[in-house]
Amino acid sequence: MTQARTDDTPTPAETPDHTYDVVVVGAGPVGENVADRARAAGLSAAIVESELVGGECSYWACMPSKALLRPVLAQADARRLPGLERMTAGPLDTGAVLARRDSFASDWKDDSQVEWVDSTGTDLYRGHGRLAGERRVTVTAGDGKVTTLAARHAVALSTGTGAALPDLPGIEEARPWTSREATSATEAPGRLAVIGGSVVGVEMATAWQGLGSQVTLLVRGGGLLPRMEPFAGELVAESLRAAGADVRTGVSVTGLSRDASGVTLTLDDGARLQVDEVLFATGRKPRTGDLGLDTVGLTPGDWLTVDDTLRVTGSDWLYAVGDCNHRALLTHQGKYQARIAGAVIAARAQGRPLDTGRWGAHSATADHDAVPQVVFTDPEAASVGLTLQEAESAGHRVRAVDQDLSQIAGAALYGDDYRGQARMVVGLDREVLLGVTFVGPGVGELLHSATVAVAGEVPVDRLWHAVPAYPTISEVWLRLLEALRG
């Protein structure tokens, strides 16, 4: 796999400064878990980080975004309950919400994360990590000092992704928000345009509309949340409009400009939209552009293709774990991969056979069949496995069963005028669940039961004996099974 050096290829020191069993590039939650699992198995490990230890999730994604959303969703839930009208009629205290958000982002300081890394016995190197040939990583510190690390057994790349911005006239001058600015802003903009109808777009539209902004959500396609069942996007769009957001589908931005009054967007229908800030939530790209991939025969900027042990195709020492391998761009899936990769690296280093059987400790099979995700909007959207369209496209013989959640006693008790829907997709050949989707307030906590059913390939006739407690929203399982039986 390693290509011959050229004049442009960095030449590592003949003798590395330090040698470890495993070198991990990227100290987000994925990289931290790879290093921790390797250390727990008795291997020595180093981890390299150019920004904050703890990564995107801790400071600019999962934690701050959910801290922004939780008060908005709690207020929406409370407004559905008689007796709380006076307490919930006024606007949220945006300053208090932002202060709580700051605490969940550790005020963008990584001291506690560094302490945790130290507690595992992993050596931390701060600086830009870059491959420099087979089993070599160079670390360029802020002061320009270069340290060369060698890996006896494995290098694991856990560098994640960054925001992908479209090539539009005026976009650089407009200085748009990405997800980082959206989750770390110090005040609510008066007028905010959100471009993109997938997870980041709808969550940030929900958050900032609830925190006092006038949000306009612009979606190029025909609906929101295109990778979920269609009813998920429909219910979220309806709720955003009810909250006061302007949701427009089938429209694209063709150009933008910024002046003292804010940002002006030109749309493909000829309209112009003036806002104070614009957020582009239009996808992610791998952070592999300046990672030295060319020194090992790979293409800089590409997604990294891996097998189910997370080893890069064509290599016997290089691993790509988490978002940069494009298998499932979710923190919990990345951490799942990290646990497997750490165990795989240790087993191979110690000459032990890989276990891909009952425990599946060395095979990331859930990335194919049972990926769970919750979108923290009002209503929440939660899904695992395949949608009906995905199952049919994959050639499965299936049946979809739907249930109106407003007819479930637990949902009615949760809040007046409860609106939601559930669907399970049943594979008829084996009579197991291939996918489940819930949409409604509070349904995120239902998802793990569905994940167990899908990942465990539980036959639907056995699900009859998993009795849901009454009166809870989980009674939807009984109603779905009754509909399936007819």
Side-chain angles (χ1 to χ4, degrees):
M1 170 176 171
T2 305
Q3 68 178 27
R5 290 196 181 97
T6 67
D7 292 341
D8 296 327
T9 302
T11 303
E14 291 300 322
T15 303
D17 297 296
H18 303 282
T19 300
Y20 298 88
D21 291 323
V22 183
V23 176
V24 181
V25 182
V30 176
E32 288 177 330
N33 274 273
V34 174
D36 181 45
R37 289 301 169 114
R39 286 290 300 132
L43 303 184
S44 61
I47 194 166
V48 181
E49 179 54 56
S50 61
E51 295 186 293
L52 294 175
V53 176
E56 199 80 11
C57 175
S58 299
Y59 306 104
W60 300 288
C62 314
M63 298 307 293
S65 67
K66 303 316 173 277
L68 289 174
L69 284 158
R70 180 62 194 137
V72 175
L73 302 186
Q75 184 183 52
D77 283 343
R79 284 176 171 171
R80 298 185 182 102
L81 293 171
L84 294 177
E85 295 94 334
R86 294 181 186 176
M87 298 176 64
T88 59
L92 289 168
D93 183 340
T94 302
V97 174
L98 296 181
R100 184 172 184 265
R101 181 274 317 271
D102 293 352
S103 71
F104 274 94
S106 302
D107 293 308
W108 290 273
K109 298 176 183 177
D110 62 3
D111 298 16
S112 63
Q113 295 277 0
V114 171
E115 289 177 6
W116 183 86
V117 170
D118 289 344
S119 74
T120 69
T122 301
D123 289 347
L124 171 65
Y125 291 84
R126 288 191 180 273
H128 181 71
R130 207 170 182 279
L131 293 170
E134 185 170 339
R135 293 183 172 85
R136 289 288 197 273
V137 174
T138 59
V139 184
T140 304
D143 61 5
K145 179 183 177 182
V146 178
T147 302
T148 300
L149 308 179
R152 295 185 188 93
H153 300 293
V155 173
L157 304 178
S158 300
T159 51
T161 61
L165 292 175
D167 184 14
L168 290 174
I171 193 166
E172 290 186 10
E173 295 79 4
R175 303 185 303 279
W177 281 7
T178 67
S179 55
R180 285 196 171 193
E181 289 78 20
T183 57
S184 62
T186 57
E187 61 182 9
R191 301 163 299 173
L192 174 65
V194 179
I195 316 302
S198 292
V199 178
V200 172
V202 297
E203 285 192 345
M204 289 300 94
T206 300
W208 289 111
Q209 182 68 34
L211 291 171
S213 298
Q214 175 55 57
V215 170
T216 302
L217 179 61
L218 303 175
V219 183
R220 182 173 58 185
L224 311 186
L225 299 175
R227 300 194 67 178
M228 286 188 163
E229 298 285 6
F231 61 79
E234 292 165 6
L235 287 169
V236 170
E238 181 181 308
S239 181
L240 279 168
R241 290 187 175 108
D246 180 4
V247 179
R248 307 184 198 179
T249 59
V251 62
S252 297
V253 178
T254 58
L256 58 168
S257 62
R258 182 185 284 272
D259 58 24
S261 63
V263 181
T264 300
L265 308 179
T266 303
L267 308 182
D268 63 352
D269 60 3
R272 292 166 70 86
L273 176 66
Q274 290 189 316
V275 293
D276 298 297
E277 299 292 349
V278 55
L279 162 64
F280 275 86
T282 49
R284 308 290 292 178
K285 61 183 179 181
R287 296 182 64 184
T288 61
D290 188 18
L291 202 51
L293 294 182
D294 53 312
T295 72
V296 294
L298 297 171
T299 304
D302 276 2
W303 300 99
L304 296 169
T305 303
V306 299
D307 61 21
D308 283 349
T309 69
L310 292 313
R311 191 162 62 178
V312 173
T313 302
S315 173
D316 62 357
W317 60 272
L318 184 63
Y319 293 75
V321 192
D323 286 5
C324 66
N325 64 34
H326 207 235
R327 287 166 69 100
L329 276 64
L330 296 160
T331 296
H332 47 273
Q333 291 300 122
K335 292 169 72 173
Y336 160 76
Q337 293 175 16
R339 295 190 292 270
I340 290 170
V344 166
I345 291 167
R348 285 175 170 153
Q350 295 161 357
R352 293 184 283 110
L354 300 187
D355 170 19
T356 57
R358 185 169 64 91
W359 285 99
H362 301 113
S363 185
T365 57
D367 289 345
H368 304 301
D369 304 318
V371 176
Q373 181 172 22
V374 179
V375 184
F376 291 87
T377 45
D378 176 34
E380 291 177 352
S383 68
V384 62
L386 302 177
T387 64
L388 174 60
Q389 181 179 345
E390 288 170 340
E392 290 176 337
S393 297
H396 294 288
R397 194 168 64 91
V398 297
R399 179 182 171 191
V401 182
D402 294 328
Q403 173 63 47
D404 180 353
L405 282 174
S406 69
Q407 302 303 306
I408 304 298
L413 286 166
Y414 191 95
D416 291 356
D417 299 319
Y418 189 103
R419 298 206 60 203
Q421 189 170 343
R423 168 174 288 176
M424 67 180 189
V425 178
V426 181
L428 297 178
D429 292 330
R430 299 174 58 213
E431 294 192 332
V432 297
L433 300 187
L434 300 179
V436 182
T437 300
F438 303 113
V439 182
V443 299
E445 297 302 333
L446 291 178
L447 187 60
H448 193 60
S449 60
T451 304
V452 171
V454 172
E457 300 179 334
V458 180
V460 291
D461 62 353
R462 288 301 306 159
L463 288 177
W464 275 102
H465 303 283
V467 182
Y470 180 88
T472 66
I473 304 175
S474 62
E475 195 183 10
V476 65
W477 283 107
L478 175 58
R479 302 303 171 219
L480 287 167
L481 290 167
E482 288 175 337
L484 179 65
R485 290 187 68 177

